[in-house]
Amino acid sequence: SISTDYKRLSIKASSDIKGNLKLSKMQKKNAEKPENYKLVSLDITLSTKEPLRVSLPEGYVYTYADGRITGDLYEPKYSIKLNLVGGNLEYFNKNFYVRQGSVELKNEETNLDLTLIAPMPEYSIIIDVKGNPNYPKVLLRSEPPRDTREILTSLVFGGGTGEGLLSLSSILLTQF
């Protein structure tokens, strides 16, 4: 619903989202927001009853979403939780399948908990990524267990890059 007292505009909505979403890397712009954005108040609830397909530069994921956006258009406050239930991401010329994951998006912080698995002929590479996406912690392992250096070598020398919306190359370099 949209209401106004002729000084402020109030938007209140509850939305069930479905379909496809395409995300790409965006450059930050330091453009000034119009002051009249402060006059638009928000109270929006988002949810999904079926998974959304989110296309990323490195592949796609399927996710359920629940969230709320409040505050005003000038400085919205948001809390959105994404539960990842599948997908396929390509890093280092290898297909990584999303085993499980979640992403919490909030004004103050973003938190990531993601497990990726890449089946290889002799073993599967498993990468657990947790924490802030800008400075995450990573656990590199395999099934059956192999030496971490062997796993890392097979990734890096497999060709391709570990770049996308999530920079797997940078994450791995900071951890080892």
Side-chain angles (χ1 to χ4, degrees):
S1 70
I2 298 176
S3 60
T4 183
D5 62 4
Y6 299 105
K7 293 180 186 173
R8 295 186 51 84
L9 180 67
S10 177
I11 300 173
K12 186 172 183 160
S14 181
S15 178
D16 179 29
I17 303 168
K18 54 178 116 173
N20 298 308
L21 180 63
K22 184 175 181 178
L23 297 179
S24 59
K25 283 192 173 187
M26 298 186 321
Q27 295 179 352
K28 289 195 173 196
K29 294 182 181 178
N30 292 333
E32 287 292 315
K33 299 177 193 172
E35 282 293 314
N36 57 358
Y37 277 18
K38 293 179 181 178
L39 302 175
V40 179
S41 65
L42 305 170
D43 186 1
I44 301 171
T45 303
L46 308 168
S47 65
T48 58
K49 290 187 172 97
E50 56 189 58
L52 287 172
R53 179 186 165 111
V54 180
S55 297
L56 306 167
E58 60 266 47
Y60 64 90
V61 295
Y62 289 104
T63 183
Y64 287 97
D66 283 299
R68 188 155 185 218
I69 303 169
T70 59
D72 58 46
L73 194 56
Y74 189 81
E75 201 170 336
K77 294 171 182 55
Y78 57 90
S79 177
I80 300 170
K81 175 139 187 189
L82 306 173
N83 290 309
L84 307 177
V85 294
N88 186 345
L89 304 172
E90 184 177 309
Y91 296 109
F92 305 107
N93 287 337
K94 291 177 180 48
N95 285 321
F96 283 87
Y97 300 99
V98 175
R99 182 182 267 182
Q100 65 83 32
S102 66
V103 181
E104 291 182 39
L105 305 164
K106 295 184 178 181
N107 291 75
E108 309 84 44
E109 67 179 342
T110 296
N111 193 31
L112 176 65
D113 183 357
L114 177 64
T115 301
L116 302 171
I117 185 167
M120 306 291 289
E122 297 175 12
Y123 59 96
S124 293
I125 298 172
I126 302 168
I127 302 176
D128 295 305
V129 183
K130 297 182 185 310
N132 182 317
N134 295 321
Y135 313 100
K137 300 288 183 216
V138 67
L139 174 63
L140 182 62
R141 57 194 171 95
S142 68
E143 287 178 6
R146 301 279 178 139
D147 181 67
T148 305
R149 289 180 297 244
E150 180 183 344
I151 301 167
L152 192 56
T153 301
S154 73
L155 277 176
V156 174
F157 292 121
T161 68
E163 298 302 313
L165 205 56
L166 177 67
S167 176
L168 200 55
S169 297
S170 299
I171 294 168
L172 289 171
L173 284 174
T174 61
Q175 300 292 309
F176 299 99

